[in-house]
Amino acid sequence: MNYAALNYAALFRATLPETALEIAAVLVLFVDLAFLRRATQKLRAAVAAWLGIAGCVAGIWAVYAAGWSGFSAGNDVLLAAGGSAGVAQVAILVLTALTLLLLIGSSFTRNPGEYVAVVLMAAAGGLLIAAAEDLLVIFIGLELLSLGLYVLTAFAKSSGASAEASIKYYLFGGMSAAFLLFGFSLLYGLSGSTGLPRVVYGVDNAVFHGGVPLLLVALVMVAAGLGFKVAAVPFHLWAPDAYEGAPAPAAAFIASVSKVASFALLISISYVTLHFVESFQVSHAYATFKVYNPGEPQSHNTLGIVTVWPFILMVLSVASMVLGNLAALAQTSVRRLLAYSAIAHAGYILLGLVFFSRGPASAQAILYYILTYGLTTIGAFGVVGVIERAAGSDKLDSFAGLHKRAPALAAVTLVLFLSLAGIPPLVGFWAKFNLFAAVLAVSRSPLSIGLVALAIAFSAVSLYYYLQVLKRAYVLPAPDETPIHAHPLTTLVLVAIAAAVVLMGCFPALLQSWIAGFYPGLR
């Protein structure tokens, strides 16, 4: 990287969304510690949450203000803007604001200002990841996000399960970071660069000079690191414990914001990996590249990133779909059910990355999926949080008779869980339909058709365990019919999320058009 070419004014403009969150985090801490130490817990949580939401709103404005400028050092792009980066950054900020709204009705911490500050700092890491085009920037963003998530998982200080989940999450996360960094170092050694496009070019050049073994090791290491972030099998073991032990708003943040950021990064990697050369030849120490032209059929590539990376993603995808759905069938904890469900959904999304197109269709289908999944999951954890406070447990039986104890909450649960199962006309159906259609648009081979059929079959399996929750909410009688009262703002947020799921399901073009607005051309 040419540090002499850095334009720090341009860097500041490109990182305005992250700066807005960092300023909001400092402001939250200052107001909470300087003026509200003797205030009631509810007031402190409300002020901290609303200040954090103001920071998210400022960040959204900054994303739109940045446009397509991005940030480069010489010829190396470090931070992208627009395209998948812009969509993911706005989504991260919206989802962060929703998780902060859930804090207002919660009582798991006596330090709401510190909690909100950590959430905002972690979200800033997510923004960096979504826009990163350089290995070093990717690693910095991942660690900023991950360290915040470890702390958030342990924020329920009176809960032993929260502390245990945080320790497990931290240990797995530290190991995955080591794998990822080692894989990045090998890629740098093979390519001589940290910029994603130069890494791909350099690595494929090294392959022709005998670098295949190192490339395979590097890609497996990188897959292990990034597979941990998206909870893909076999790097998923942290997820059930973290989802179960973390406070409900923190679990919602982990399940939504971190997934959006991580999959946005995988979109960047897949796009750069596939969108570079049609042929590569080396003779007399000179390399000859033929660049893809839009609309031309993809030719056969020799062993390299272009062929190895999709194969690794395919293995992770199939393993995640199978194990995630089958393990969810045996769960009695709704939190753990949602965790294994998240693993299965990661498998579906990885399938879209296996058959990734050079045009915008694949990226838009994946973004549509992760945005709608993130929104729905926040609502699901919001419901679980309310039930836990009323029943003292997140077990399936705690949902028994919910339609009598809290009719509005039961209706929200019905909408969200059916959407997660992919039932029309809810938005979850269109997310899966668009994703599988994008896969088949790229390839009609027996392999792609078989994998899509497998994904549809396991989507049908998922309906069984989602219906277990709804069966208790609407069919089984409640042992105690005492009404469940949630905070009015929490109820409003959950109803609004459910309404958005229904609205986007009935009018799927609304979200599709918004995402397409970031794509005058795939970045």
Side-chain angles (χ1 to χ4, degrees), residues 141-180:
L142 285 172
E143 289 309 293
L144 180 57
L145 173 62
S146 298
L147 290 173
L149 297 183
Y150 305 150
V151 174
L152 293 176
T153 304
F155 236 92
K157 296 181 180 178
S158 61
S159 169
S162 179
E164 179 186 352
S166 181
I167 286 293
K168 290 180 179 178
Y169 195 5
Y170 172 73
L171 292 176
F172 277 108
M175 186 175 297
S176 77
F179 277 115
L180 183 66

Side-chain angles (χ1 to χ4, degrees), residues 292-313:
Y292 280 128
N293 292 318
E296 290 187 1
Q298 183 174 349
S299 63
H300 176 72
N301 289 278
T302 58
L303 184 63
I305 288 183
V306 177
T307 51
V308 175
W309 183 247
F311 176 78
I312 293 174
L313 294 183

Side-chain angles (χ1 to χ4, degrees), residues 20-230:
L21 293 187
E22 290 157 3
I23 292 173
V26 173
L27 183 61
V28 165
L29 286 175
F30 176 74
V31 170
D32 186 58
L33 297 177
F35 300 107
L36 299 177
R37 294 299 293 174
R38 298 182 181 277
T40 63
Q41 196 72 12
K42 291 183 178 180
L43 177 62
R44 291 176 63 195
V47 171
W50 285 113
L51 287 175
I53 292 168
C56 293
V57 172
I60 293 172
W61 171 85
V63 172
Y64 280 98
W68 285 83
S69 58
F71 177 70
S72 302
N75 294 324
D76 296 321
V77 177
L78 301 184
L79 295 171
S84 60
V87 174
Q89 286 185 328
V90 173
I92 287 168
L93 292 165
V94 171
L95 297 176
T96 299
L98 288 175
T99 60
L100 291 177
L101 285 172
L102 294 180
L103 171 68
I104 296 176
S106 302
S107 58
F108 61 87
T109 178
R110 294 178 297 174
N111 304 288
E114 296 172 13
Y115 173 86
V116 171
V118 175
V119 167
L120 294 176
M121 289 295 185
L127 297 180
L128 274 179
I129 297 167
E133 294 282 344
D134 184 271
L135 298 182
L136 294 178
V137 179
I138 290 170
F139 188 76
I140 291 170
L142 285 172
E143 289 309 293
L144 180 57
L145 173 62
S146 298
L147 290 173
L149 297 183
Y150 305 150
V151 174
L152 293 176
T153 304
F155 236 92
K157 296 181 180 178
S158 61
S159 169
S162 179
E164 179 186 352
S166 181
I167 286 293
K168 290 180 179 178
Y169 195 5
Y170 172 73
L171 292 176
F172 277 108
M175 186 175 297
S176 77
F179 277 115
L180 183 66
L181 193 57
F182 186 55
F184 281 176
S185 69
L186 291 178
L187 291 178
Y188 174 74
L190 288 168
S191 64
S193 176
T194 57
L196 287 182
R198 291 179 181 269
V199 166
V200 175
Y201 280 99
V203 164
D204 275 273
N205 189 16
V207 165
F208 279 86
H209 293 85
V212 172
L214 278 180
L215 172 64
L216 296 178
V217 172
L219 292 182
V220 170
M221 294 288 183
V222 171
L226 297 180
F228 167 84
K229 303 302 179 186
V230 301

Side-chain angles (χ1 to χ4, degrees), residues 315-355:
V315 173
L316 298 181
S317 172
V318 172
S320 299
M321 287 190 290
V322 173
L323 189 143
N325 282 299
L326 293 182
L329 295 173
Q331 303 306 311
T332 58
S333 162
V334 176
R335 282 175 176 256
R336 295 184 74 87
L337 184 151
L338 289 172
Y340 283 107
S341 164
I343 294 167
H345 283 281
Y348 305 142
I349 301 170
L350 287 171
L351 181 59
L353 291 166
V354 173
F355 298 94

